[in-house]
Amino acid sequence: MTEKKRQFEDFEHTLTSEPMHRGSHYGRKKKSWINIVIQVIVFILVAITGYSMFKEPILNLTFVNEPITFHQITNLQDTVNQMGNLNINIENIDNLQTHIDSLILVFYVFFIACILSLILTCFTLIFNRTALKIVNLFILAVMFVITFGFSFLIENIAKSISDSMSQHYISLSPEQILTEADAIHNAFILLTCSLALLLISLFFRNRKAKI
């Protein structure tokens, strides 16, 4: 009888004193280091893309063999005359200023999207949420499409200048006037890599550590 009483007391002590896990076999979530590495790489690639677009040549003024940066596009008339000592009044070319204004506006949208992507990447590094990755994927896809838009607008600007020159008996094809420069080519490559890495990161989530 005494033995049974002692066993009962031991059982009661265990029941009341030992911590209960309520069936949970997991502790705090463990961060995925592969995801962290991927997000750091994406952050660097997007930052390089934005810097490249802002500082490096965006297009080449082919007939005077000179590169043009974002700042020079905002005043293309002076840029053309200073580079080539040419007296070409491009402001009188039909719809040219409209194309240039559209190009500048698209650049501002691109830079805003770039900043948003960098912010989302930072949040993803901290929280590693699938929703953040999907939104970031969408923003990077928009940036990628905008890069195609740059190519289209540059082609239209070159065509407008070419048509205007042909009226003055100067025969130059659009490719002999303006072509895309390194910044746009780099953007295509870097954004493609960023999109691929983000897609891969969707498969790496924070896991709960077993107790």
Side-chain angles (χ1 to χ4, degrees):
M1 192 71 178
T2 306
E3 181 67 22
K4 288 184 178 181
K5 185 178 180 181
R6 187 170 60 82
Q7 290 178 354
F8 177 78
E9 288 175 351
D10 291 342
F11 173 76
E12 185 180 17
H13 175 75
T14 302
L15 187 65
T16 56
S17 302
E18 293 297 320
M20 300 293 289
H21 295 289
R22 300 184 183 276
S24 175
H25 300 288
Y26 298 94
R28 293 182 63 184
K29 285 187 176 181
K30 187 178 181 180
K31 288 188 176 182
S32 169
W33 288 105
I34 296 177
N35 176 72
I36 292 174
V37 171
I38 289 175
Q39 297 303 322
V40 169
I41 295 173
V42 169
F43 184 92
I44 293 171
L45 293 179
V46 175
I48 292 173
T49 301
Y51 179 83
S52 178
M53 281 290 194
F54 191 71
K55 286 290 187 182
E56 294 183 4
I58 295 164
L59 51 88
N60 293 311
L61 200 59
T62 313
F63 63 94
V64 290
N65 196 27
E66 289 287 349
I68 296 179
T69 62
F70 170 70
H71 294 291
Q72 292 171 308
I73 289 176
T74 57
N75 197 354
L76 193 59
Q77 172 67 66
D78 290 343
T79 300
V80 171
N81 290 334
Q82 288 173 7
M83 284 182 173
N85 295 319
L86 304 171
N87 190 20
I88 302 174
N89 188 8
I90 63 173
E91 292 177 358
N92 294 331
I93 299 176
D94 293 339
N95 298 322
L96 179 61
Q97 191 59 46
T98 302
H99 292 316
I100 294 173
D101 291 340
S102 298
L103 183 63
I104 294 170
L105 177 62
V106 172
F107 263 107
Y108 285 131
V109 174
F110 184 89
F111 291 138
I112 291 171
C114 184
I115 292 170
L116 287 175
S117 177
L118 292 174
I119 293 172
L120 280 173
T121 305
C122 289
F123 279 121
T124 306
L125 270 169
I126 299 170
F127 301 109
N128 193 19
R129 295 289 185 269
T130 302
L132 291 173
K133 295 176 184 178
I134 292 173
V135 174
N136 203 4
L137 269 171
F138 174 77
I139 292 174
L140 288 177
V142 169
M143 292 173 65
F144 191 79
V145 172
I146 287 175
T147 308
F148 277 105
F150 290 144
S151 300
F152 177 74
L153 287 169
I154 290 170
E155 183 180 339
N156 282 342
I157 292 172
K159 190 174 184 302
S160 296
I161 297 175
S162 176
D163 292 343
S164 178
M165 286 182 169
S166 65
Q167 295 174 6
H168 297 87
Y169 306 103
I170 302 174
S171 180
L172 286 174
S173 66
E175 293 77 16
Q176 292 176 303
I177 298 172
L178 290 177
T179 57
E180 300 167 7
D182 292 339
I184 292 179
H185 299 154
N186 292 340
F188 277 122
I189 297 170
L190 296 174
L191 289 175
T192 300
C193 294
S194 299
L195 285 167
L197 286 170
L198 266 184
L199 283 171
I200 294 171
S201 74
L202 290 173
F203 298 98
F204 296 96
R205 301 179 181 180
N206 293 344
R207 298 182 181 273
K208 290 184 177 180
K210 289 185 178 181
I211 298 177

